[in-house]
Amino acid sequence: MQHDLSLAQKHAWNLARTLMTPIVLFKSDDEYGVLPADEVEDAEIVILFEYDPYTGGQSVH
């Protein structure tokens, strides 16, 4: 987990391009994390961005 949003965004985009699958950037408490979009099931996280390797990043809100 990261405390720096810009660093987490860079890692999320890099992971999406490497795996060629949508990745979500989420916030849990005071930290940011990334997961493949199909693995997000926890209601205690707030999804901020979705990174699709084909269309780029987009804010969820």
Side-chain angles (χ1 to χ4, degrees):
M1 301 276 273
Q2 296 285 328
H3 293 283
D4 182 3
L5 178 58
S6 64
L7 183 60
Q9 288 175 312
K10 290 176 186 176
H11 285 294
W13 177 240
N14 187 25
L15 187 60
R17 296 286 294 166
T18 301
L19 297 178
M20 296 306 288
T21 188
I23 300 293
V24 295
L25 175 93
F26 63 90
K27 185 173 184 176
S28 178
D29 297 324
D30 292 332
E31 296 182 330
Y32 300 101
V34 297
L35 281 173
D38 60 350
E39 293 184 20
V40 176
E41 297 175 3
D42 193 354
E44 295 182 19
I45 63 173
V46 177
I47 298 174
L48 302 175
F49 295 94
E50 181 173 338
Y51 295 90
D52 187 308
Y54 303 103
T55 61
Q58 357 179 353
S59 176
V60 174
H61 298 284

